[in-house]
Amino acid sequence: MSRFDDSPKVSTNTFMERRGVRKVDEIVGEAGCLWRETPMHDVGIDGQIEYVDNEGRATGRLVAVQIKAGPSYFASRTDGFVRFKPHAKHRNYWASFPIPVVVVLYHPDEDLAIWVDARHQLRANLDADLKVSEGNRLSADTVIDILSLDGDLPVIGFDPTALLEEMLDQTNGPHGTSQSFFDLFFHGLTDLGNCLYFGMDLFDEIMREKDVHLEHQDEVLSWGQADYDFLDRYVSFLLAHDLVRLDFDNLRRSAEDGMVGIFLAPLTHKGRALVKSADSLDSDFFPSVRGGYRVLAQERWVRILFRDSGVRLLHIEQFKEAFRRHLKL
């Protein structure tokens, strides 16, 4: 036996995996964005894509990517979909990841790369296989779609006066109790102005307060599709200008169920700077009523209503007792 027979062997999978990584790197580069490969401690994320705007500025908007390359991953093709079964160790990891996780499957013989929002699918059903549509082809155009999984792509720069003006201009209509992005933002401030609350109840409460205190007396206090579209645009505005930190995927899931999502999210540095700028203007406009107390940028009290006829409370008490007995067995 030759002394070289015990030399380390390189698996063909190693070269296959590198082909997949190079393919993703190539496509992301064509999109004018950055591919950042995980250099060490890869435990289920091969790298990240970062959005670069049209003027070449990096934005900090990231999406995590796991790449699987080889014909074997396409063995279960059915009706335009490829089924991919993640390892158990990756399911919770991807579902709880703080940014979107995209799985890319690459077939080198067909030069075909397809992708799926793995985090979104696993949050819906942690035990199910991922269904990857063959129509979701990875290309320079779809890289931008992938980066938009966490909301509208960010706008670079910060001009608080221009932002406040845009917030005033964006409304849900000309009626007496109409609202603007400005209304939703400043009425939604809570936690000493450090967090922002959003929900359908806030929209409804502002509308009713305007009707009573401003004496608009609209004949009908109701909302329609235009109002839902307005709320969607408001959330997109918050994300595009990086004013809050929130789980956009959770809001997507609410929208898919036909509901308006709810969040209580911390303001970003830009969000706090916007509040500070508006607060300063408030002080300039109304110096005599300040007295050191914030008016425009004060917090709103947010309360979760618990309504229970007693059935839930009694059941929780019964469960606690049953669990204590179980522990003693």
Side-chain angles (χ1 to χ4, degrees), residues 9-59:
K9 292 185 178 180
V10 180
S11 168
T12 55
N13 289 338
T14 300
F15 300 106
M16 192 72 73
E17 290 168 1
R18 293 311 304 168
R19 289 181 68 179
V21 171
R22 287 197 300 270
K23 185 64 178 179
V24 171
D25 187 5
E26 175 188 349
I27 294 174
V28 172
E30 289 175 1
C33 296
L34 294 175
W35 166 250
R36 189 174 294 111
E37 189 173 351
T38 303
M40 58 189 299
H41 304 311
D42 173 8
V43 291
I45 301 296
D46 287 318
Q48 297 176 338
I49 302 173
E50 180 172 357
Y51 174 59
V52 177
D53 72 8
N54 292 333
E55 297 185 20
R57 295 172 294 198
T59 63

Short mmCIF file of all heavy atoms in Angstrom, two decimals, residues 9-59:
data_model
loop_
_atom_site.label_atom_id
_atom_site.label_comp_id
_atom_site.label_asym_id
_atom_site.label_seq_id
_atom_site.Cartn_x
_atom_site.Cartn_y
_atom_site.Cartn_z
N LYS A 9 -9.26 12.75 1.89
CA LYS A 9 -10.03 12.78 0.65
C LYS A 9 -11.01 13.94 0.69
O LYS A 9 -11.55 14.28 1.74
CB LYS A 9 -10.79 11.47 0.49
CG LYS A 9 -9.89 10.27 0.21
CD LYS A 9 -10.71 9.02 -0.06
CE LYS A 9 -9.79 7.84 -0.37
NZ LYS A 9 -10.58 6.60 -0.64
N VAL A 10 -11.21 14.53 -0.45
CA VAL A 10 -12.14 15.65 -0.59
C VAL A 10 -13.42 15.13 -1.24
O VAL A 10 -13.38 14.58 -2.34
CB VAL A 10 -11.54 16.78 -1.44
CG1 VAL A 10 -12.55 17.93 -1.57
CG2 VAL A 10 -10.24 17.28 -0.82
N SER A 11 -14.53 15.30 -0.56
CA SER A 11 -15.81 14.83 -1.07
C SER A 11 -16.24 15.66 -2.28
O SER A 11 -15.97 16.87 -2.36
CB SER A 11 -16.87 14.93 0.03
OG SER A 11 -18.16 14.75 -0.51
N THR A 12 -16.92 15.00 -3.22
CA THR A 12 -17.45 15.74 -4.38
C THR A 12 -18.50 16.75 -3.93
O THR A 12 -18.75 17.74 -4.62
CB THR A 12 -18.08 14.77 -5.38
OG1 THR A 12 -19.07 13.97 -4.72
CG2 THR A 12 -17.02 13.86 -5.99
N ASN A 13 -19.13 16.51 -2.76
CA ASN A 13 -20.11 17.47 -2.24
C ASN A 13 -19.48 18.83 -1.96
O ASN A 13 -20.14 19.86 -2.08
CB ASN A 13 -20.75 16.94 -0.94
CG ASN A 13 -21.68 15.78 -1.19
OD1 ASN A 13 -22.18 15.61 -2.31
ND2 ASN A 13 -21.92 14.97 -0.17
N THR A 14 -18.20 18.80 -1.60
CA THR A 14 -17.50 20.05 -1.32
C THR A 14 -17.49 20.95 -2.55
O THR A 14 -17.78 22.16 -2.47
CB THR A 14 -16.05 19.78 -0.86
OG1 THR A 14 -16.08 18.98 0.31
CG2 THR A 14 -15.31 21.07 -0.59
N PHE A 15 -17.18 20.37 -3.70
CA PHE A 15 -17.14 21.15 -4.94
C PHE A 15 -18.54 21.56 -5.37
O PHE A 15 -18.75 22.66 -5.91
CB PHE A 15 -16.45 20.34 -6.04
CG PHE A 15 -15.04 19.96 -5.70
CD1 PHE A 15 -14.72 18.65 -5.37
CD2 PHE A 15 -14.03 20.92 -5.70
CE1 PHE A 15 -13.41 18.30 -5.05
CE2 PHE A 15 -12.73 20.57 -5.38
CZ PHE A 15 -12.41 19.26 -5.05
N MET A 16 -19.52 20.69 -5.13
CA MET A 16 -20.90 21.00 -5.47
C MET A 16 -21.39 22.19 -4.65
O MET A 16 -22.04 23.12 -5.17
CB MET A 16 -21.79 19.79 -5.22
CG MET A 16 -23.19 19.89 -5.80
SD MET A 16 -23.19 19.74 -7.60
CE MET A 16 -22.85 17.98 -7.77
N GLU A 17 -21.11 22.18 -3.37
CA GLU A 17 -21.52 23.27 -2.50
C GLU A 17 -20.89 24.60 -2.92
O GLU A 17 -21.55 25.64 -2.92
CB GLU A 17 -21.14 22.95 -1.05
CG GLU A 17 -21.96 21.82 -0.43
CD GLU A 17 -21.36 21.34 0.87
OE1 GLU A 17 -20.33 21.90 1.30
OE2 GLU A 17 -21.91 20.37 1.45
N ARG A 18 -19.62 24.53 -3.31
CA ARG A 18 -18.94 25.76 -3.74
C ARG A 18 -19.56 26.30 -5.01
O ARG A 18 -19.64 27.52 -5.21
CB ARG A 18 -17.45 25.49 -3.95
CG ARG A 18 -16.66 25.17 -2.70
CD ARG A 18 -16.91 26.16 -1.58
NE ARG A 18 -16.65 27.55 -1.98
CZ ARG A 18 -17.01 28.61 -1.27
NH1 ARG A 18 -17.66 28.45 -0.13
NH2 ARG A 18 -16.71 29.80 -1.69
N ARG A 19 -20.01 25.42 -5.90
CA ARG A 19 -20.67 25.89 -7.13
C ARG A 19 -21.94 26.65 -6.77
O ARG A 19 -22.27 27.66 -7.39
CB ARG A 19 -21.00 24.70 -8.04
CG ARG A 19 -19.78 24.06 -8.68
CD ARG A 19 -20.17 22.91 -9.59
NE ARG A 19 -20.90 23.37 -10.79
CZ ARG A 19 -21.33 22.56 -11.75
NH1 ARG A 19 -21.09 21.25 -11.66
NH2 ARG A 19 -21.96 23.04 -12.79
N GLY A 20 -22.68 26.15 -5.78
CA GLY A 20 -23.89 26.84 -5.35
C GLY A 20 -23.60 28.20 -4.76
O GLY A 20 -24.28 29.19 -5.07
N VAL A 21 -22.56 28.28 -3.95
CA VAL A 21 -22.19 29.56 -3.34
C VAL A 21 -21.74 30.54 -4.41
O VAL A 21 -22.11 31.73 -4.39
CB VAL A 21 -21.08 29.35 -2.29
CG1 VAL A 21 -20.52 30.68 -1.82
CG2 VAL A 21 -21.60 28.54 -1.11
N ARG A 22 -20.93 30.06 -5.36
CA ARG A 22 -20.47 30.95 -6.43
C ARG A 22 -21.64 31.46 -7.28
O ARG A 22 -21.64 32.62 -7.71
CB ARG A 22 -19.45 30.22 -7.33
CG ARG A 22 -18.10 30.01 -6.67
CD ARG A 22 -17.03 29.67 -7.71
NE ARG A 22 -17.35 28.44 -8.45
CZ ARG A 22 -16.98 27.22 -8.05
NH1 ARG A 22 -16.29 27.07 -6.94
NH2 ARG A 22 -17.30 26.16 -8.77
N LYS A 23 -22.65 30.62 -7.48
CA LYS A 23 -23.81 31.02 -8.27
C LYS A 23 -24.57 32.14 -7.56
O LYS A 23 -24.96 33.14 -8.19
CB LYS A 23 -24.74 29.83 -8.50
CG LYS A 23 -25.92 30.13 -9.43
CD LYS A 23 -25.43 30.48 -10.83
CE LYS A 23 -26.58 30.75 -11.78
NZ LYS A 23 -26.11 31.11 -13.13
N VAL A 24 -24.78 31.98 -6.29
CA VAL A 24 -25.48 33.02 -5.53
C VAL A 24 -24.67 34.31 -5.53
O VAL A 24 -25.21 35.40 -5.73
CB VAL A 24 -25.75 32.54 -4.08
CG1 VAL A 24 -26.28 33.68 -3.23
CG2 VAL A 24 -26.75 31.39 -4.09
N ASP A 25 -23.38 34.20 -5.32
CA ASP A 25 -22.49 35.36 -5.33
C ASP A 25 -22.60 36.10 -6.67
O ASP A 25 -22.69 37.33 -6.71
CB ASP A 25 -21.06 34.89 -5.08
CG ASP A 25 -20.09 36.05 -4.89
OD1 ASP A 25 -20.53 37.21 -4.86
OD2 ASP A 25 -18.88 35.78 -4.78
N GLU A 26 -22.61 35.34 -7.76
CA GLU A 26 -22.69 35.93 -9.10
C GLU A 26 -24.00 36.68 -9.30
O GLU A 26 -24.01 37.82 -9.79
CB GLU A 26 -22.57 34.82 -10.15
CG GLU A 26 -22.76 35.29 -11.58
CD GLU A 26 -22.83 34.13 -12.56
OE1 GLU A 26 -22.52 32.98 -12.17
OE2 GLU A 26 -23.23 34.36 -13.72
N ILE A 27 -25.11 36.07 -8.92
CA ILE A 27 -26.43 36.69 -9.13
C ILE A 27 -26.61 37.92 -8.24
O ILE A 27 -27.12 38.95 -8.69
CB ILE A 27 -27.54 35.66 -8.87
CG1 ILE A 27 -27.49 34.56 -9.93
CG2 ILE A 27 -28.91 36.33 -8.89
CD1 ILE A 27 -28.46 33.42 -9.69
N VAL A 28 -26.17 37.83 -7.00
CA VAL A 28 -26.27 38.98 -6.10
C VAL A 28 -25.43 40.14 -6.63
O VAL A 28 -25.85 41.31 -6.58
CB VAL A 28 -25.84 38.60 -4.67
CG1 VAL A 28 -25.75 39.83 -3.78
CG2 VAL A 28 -26.83 37.60 -4.07
N GLY A 29 -24.26 39.83 -7.17
CA GLY A 29 -23.42 40.87 -7.77
C GLY A 29 -24.10 41.53 -8.97
O GLY A 29 -24.00 42.73 -9.16
N GLU A 30 -24.79 40.72 -9.79
CA GLU A 30 -25.53 41.27 -10.93
C GLU A 30 -26.62 42.23 -10.47
O GLU A 30 -26.96 43.18 -11.17
CB GLU A 30 -26.15 40.15 -11.75
CG GLU A 30 -25.14 39.30 -12.53
CD GLU A 30 -25.81 38.11 -13.21
OE1 GLU A 30 -27.05 37.99 -13.09
OE2 GLU A 30 -25.10 37.32 -13.86
N ALA A 31 -27.18 41.98 -9.28
CA ALA A 31 -28.22 42.85 -8.74
C ALA A 31 -27.63 44.12 -8.12
O ALA A 31 -28.38 45.00 -7.69
CB ALA A 31 -29.03 42.09 -7.68
N GLY A 32 -26.32 44.22 -8.09
CA GLY A 32 -25.68 45.40 -7.50
C GLY A 32 -25.70 45.41 -5.99
O GLY A 32 -25.61 46.46 -5.36
N CYS A 33 -25.83 44.22 -5.41
CA CYS A 33 -25.87 44.11 -3.95
C CYS A 33 -24.66 43.31 -3.46
O CYS A 33 -23.85 42.83 -4.26
CB CYS A 33 -27.17 43.45 -3.50
SG CYS A 33 -28.64 44.43 -3.91
N LEU A 34 -24.54 43.17 -2.15
CA LEU A 34 -23.37 42.52 -1.57
C LEU A 34 -23.70 41.12 -1.09
O LEU A 34 -24.73 40.91 -0.43
CB LEU A 34 -22.86 43.34 -0.37
CG LEU A 34 -22.28 44.72 -0.65
CD1 LEU A 34 -21.93 45.41 0.66
CD2 LEU A 34 -21.06 44.63 -1.55
N TRP A 35 -22.85 40.16 -1.43
CA TRP A 35 -22.92 38.82 -0.88
C TRP A 35 -21.80 38.69 0.15
O TRP A 35 -20.64 38.92 -0.15
CB TRP A 35 -22.76 37.76 -1.96
CG TRP A 35 -22.50 36.39 -1.42
CD1 TRP A 35 -21.34 35.68 -1.50
CD2 TRP A 35 -23.43 35.56 -0.69
NE1 TRP A 35 -21.48 34.46 -0.87
CE2 TRP A 35 -22.76 34.35 -0.37
CE3 TRP A 35 -24.75 35.71 -0.29
CZ2 TRP A 35 -23.37 33.33 0.34
CZ3 TRP A 35 -25.37 34.69 0.42
CH2 TRP A 35 -24.67 33.51 0.71
N ARG A 36 -22.19 38.36 1.37
CA ARG A 36 -21.22 38.26 2.46
C ARG A 36 -21.27 36.83 3.01
O ARG A 36 -22.18 36.47 3.77
CB ARG A 36 -21.55 39.29 3.54
CG ARG A 36 -20.49 39.44 4.61
CD ARG A 36 -20.81 40.58 5.56
NE ARG A 36 -20.76 41.86 4.89
CZ ARG A 36 -21.84 42.61 4.64
NH1 ARG A 36 -23.03 42.19 4.98
NH2 ARG A 36 -21.72 43.78 4.04
N GLU A 37 -20.29 36.03 2.62
CA GLU A 37 -20.28 34.63 3.02
C GLU A 37 -19.87 34.48 4.48
O GLU A 37 -19.02 35.22 4.98
CB GLU A 37 -19.31 33.84 2.14
CG GLU A 37 -19.39 32.34 2.32
CD GLU A 37 -18.55 31.59 1.29
OE1 GLU A 37 -18.04 32.24 0.35
OE2 GLU A 37 -18.40 30.37 1.44
N THR A 38 -20.50 33.52 5.18
CA THR A 38 -20.15 33.25 6.57
C THR A 38 -18.74 32.64 6.61
O THR A 38 -18.53 31.53 6.10
CB THR A 38 -21.15 32.27 7.20
OG1 THR A 38 -22.47 32.81 7.09
CG2 THR A 38 -20.83 32.03 8.66
N PRO A 39 -17.75 33.32 7.21
CA PRO A 39 -16.36 32.82 7.15
C PRO A 39 -16.07 31.69 8.12
O PRO A 39 -15.16 30.90 7.90
CB PRO A 39 -15.54 34.07 7.49
CG PRO A 39 -16.46 34.88 8.37
CD PRO A 39 -17.85 34.62 7.88
N MET A 40 -16.85 31.61 9.20
CA MET A 40 -16.59 30.56 10.19
C MET A 40 -17.85 30.35 11.03
O MET A 40 -18.77 31.16 11.02
CB MET A 40 -15.41 30.95 11.09
CG MET A 40 -15.60 32.26 11.83
SD MET A 40 -14.12 32.82 12.69
CE MET A 40 -13.85 31.49 13.84
N HIS A 41 -17.90 29.21 11.71
CA HIS A 41 -19.04 28.86 12.56
C HIS A 41 -20.35 28.90 11.78
O HIS A 41 -21.35 29.45 12.25
CB HIS A 41 -19.12 29.78 13.78
CG HIS A 41 -17.88 29.82 14.61
ND1 HIS A 41 -17.24 28.66 15.04
CD2 HIS A 41 -17.15 30.85 15.09
CE1 HIS A 41 -16.18 28.99 15.75
NE2 HIS A 41 -16.09 30.30 15.79
N ASP A 42 -20.35 28.30 10.61
CA ASP A 42 -21.59 28.19 9.83
C ASP A 42 -22.45 27.10 10.45
O ASP A 42 -22.14 25.92 10.38
CB ASP A 42 -21.24 27.83 8.37
CG ASP A 42 -22.48 27.52 7.53
OD1 ASP A 42 -23.60 27.72 8.04
OD2 ASP A 42 -22.31 27.07 6.39
N VAL A 43 -23.56 27.52 11.08
CA VAL A 43 -24.44 26.55 11.75
C VAL A 43 -25.82 26.54 11.10
O VAL A 43 -26.82 26.26 11.74
CB VAL A 43 -24.57 26.85 13.26
CG1 VAL A 43 -23.27 26.57 13.96
CG2 VAL A 43 -25.02 28.30 13.48
N GLY A 44 -25.87 26.87 9.83
CA GLY A 44 -27.15 26.85 9.12
C GLY A 44 -27.41 28.09 8.31
O GLY A 44 -28.49 28.24 7.73
N ILE A 45 -26.45 29.00 8.26
CA ILE A 45 -26.54 30.21 7.44
C ILE A 45 -25.24 30.33 6.65
O ILE A 45 -24.17 30.52 7.22
CB ILE A 45 -26.75 31.48 8.29
CG1 ILE A 45 -28.04 31.38 9.12
CG2 ILE A 45 -26.77 32.71 7.40
CD1 ILE A 45 -29.31 31.33 8.31
N ASP A 46 -25.34 30.19 5.32
CA ASP A 46 -24.13 30.25 4.49
C ASP A 46 -23.63 31.67 4.27
O ASP A 46 -22.45 31.88 3.99
CB ASP A 46 -24.38 29.60 3.13
CG ASP A 46 -24.48 28.08 3.24
OD1 ASP A 46 -23.66 27.49 3.98
OD2 ASP A 46 -25.36 27.50 2.60
N GLY A 47 -24.53 32.63 4.37
CA GLY A 47 -24.12 34.01 4.14
C GLY A 47 -25.29 34.96 4.20
O GLY A 47 -26.42 34.57 4.53
N GLN A 48 -25.02 36.21 3.91
CA GLN A 48 -26.05 37.25 3.94
C GLN A 48 -25.98 38.08 2.67
O GLN A 48 -24.90 38.29 2.09
CB GLN A 48 -25.85 38.16 5.15
CG GLN A 48 -25.99 37.47 6.49
CD GLN A 48 -25.69 38.41 7.64
OE1 GLN A 48 -24.99 39.42 7.48
NE2 GLN A 48 -26.19 38.08 8.83
N ILE A 49 -27.14 38.56 2.26
CA ILE A 49 -27.24 39.53 1.17
C ILE A 49 -27.54 40.88 1.80
O ILE A 49 -28.44 40.99 2.64
CB ILE A 49 -28.35 39.17 0.18
CG1 ILE A 49 -28.13 37.78 -0.42
CG2 ILE A 49 -28.44 40.21 -0.93
CD1 ILE A 49 -29.29 37.28 -1.28
N GLU A 50 -26.80 41.90 1.40
CA GLU A 50 -27.07 43.26 1.89
C GLU A 50 -27.50 44.13 0.72
O GLU A 50 -26.88 44.12 -0.35
CB GLU A 50 -25.86 43.88 2.57
CG GLU A 50 -26.14 45.30 3.06
CD GLU A 50 -25.03 45.89 3.91
OE1 GLU A 50 -24.03 45.18 4.17
OE2 GLU A 50 -25.15 47.06 4.32
N TYR A 51 -28.57 44.89 0.93
CA TYR A 51 -29.09 45.78 -0.11
C TYR A 51 -28.19 47.00 -0.27
O TYR A 51 -27.82 47.66 0.70
CB TYR A 51 -30.50 46.23 0.24
CG TYR A 51 -31.06 47.27 -0.70
CD1 TYR A 51 -31.19 47.01 -2.06
CD2 TYR A 51 -31.48 48.52 -0.24
CE1 TYR A 51 -31.69 47.95 -2.93
CE2 TYR A 51 -31.99 49.47 -1.10
CZ TYR A 51 -32.09 49.17 -2.45
OH TYR A 51 -32.59 50.11 -3.31
N VAL A 52 -27.83 47.29 -1.52
CA VAL A 52 -27.08 48.49 -1.88
C VAL A 52 -27.98 49.32 -2.78
O VAL A 52 -28.51 48.80 -3.78
CB VAL A 52 -25.77 48.14 -2.60
CG1 VAL A 52 -25.04 49.40 -3.03
CG2 VAL A 52 -24.88 47.28 -1.70
N ASP A 53 -28.21 50.59 -2.44
CA ASP A 53 -29.16 51.40 -3.22
C ASP A 53 -28.56 51.81 -4.56
O ASP A 53 -27.41 51.49 -4.89
CB ASP A 53 -29.65 52.60 -2.42
CG ASP A 53 -28.61 53.69 -2.23
OD1 ASP A 53 -27.51 53.61 -2.84
OD2 ASP A 53 -28.86 54.64 -1.47
N ASN A 54 -29.36 52.53 -5.35
CA ASN A 54 -28.95 52.87 -6.72
C ASN A 54 -27.74 53.80 -6.77
O ASN A 54 -27.10 53.93 -7.82
CB ASN A 54 -30.12 53.53 -7.45
CG ASN A 54 -31.24 52.55 -7.72
OD1 ASN A 54 -31.02 51.35 -7.83
ND2 ASN A 54 -32.46 53.06 -7.80
N GLU A 55 -27.42 54.44 -5.65
CA GLU A 55 -26.25 55.32 -5.60
C GLU A 55 -25.06 54.64 -4.96
O GLU A 55 -24.06 55.31 -4.64
CB GLU A 55 -26.61 56.62 -4.87
CG GLU A 55 -27.70 57.43 -5.60
CD GLU A 55 -27.97 58.75 -4.94
OE1 GLU A 55 -27.10 59.23 -4.16
OE2 GLU A 55 -29.03 59.33 -5.18
N GLY A 56 -25.17 53.32 -4.77
CA GLY A 56 -24.03 52.55 -4.27
C GLY A 56 -23.84 52.60 -2.77
O GLY A 56 -22.78 52.22 -2.27
N ARG A 57 -24.87 53.02 -2.04
CA ARG A 57 -24.74 53.11 -0.58
C ARG A 57 -25.28 51.84 0.08
O ARG A 57 -26.40 51.42 -0.20
CB ARG A 57 -25.50 54.34 -0.06
CG ARG A 57 -24.91 55.65 -0.55
CD ARG A 57 -25.79 56.82 -0.19
NE ARG A 57 -27.07 56.76 -0.89
CZ ARG A 57 -27.88 57.82 -1.04
NH1 ARG A 57 -27.52 59.00 -0.54
NH2 ARG A 57 -29.03 57.71 -1.66
N ALA A 58 -24.47 51.26 0.96
CA ALA A 58 -24.93 50.10 1.73
C ALA A 58 -25.96 50.58 2.74
O ALA A 58 -25.82 51.66 3.33
CB ALA A 58 -23.75 49.45 2.43
N THR A 59 -27.00 49.79 2.95
CA THR A 59 -28.13 50.24 3.76
C THR A 59 -28.29 49.51 5.08
O THR A 59 -29.05 49.96 5.93
CB THR A 59 -29.44 50.05 2.97
OG1 THR A 59 -29.63 48.65 2.72
CG2 THR A 59 -29.40 50.81 1.65
#
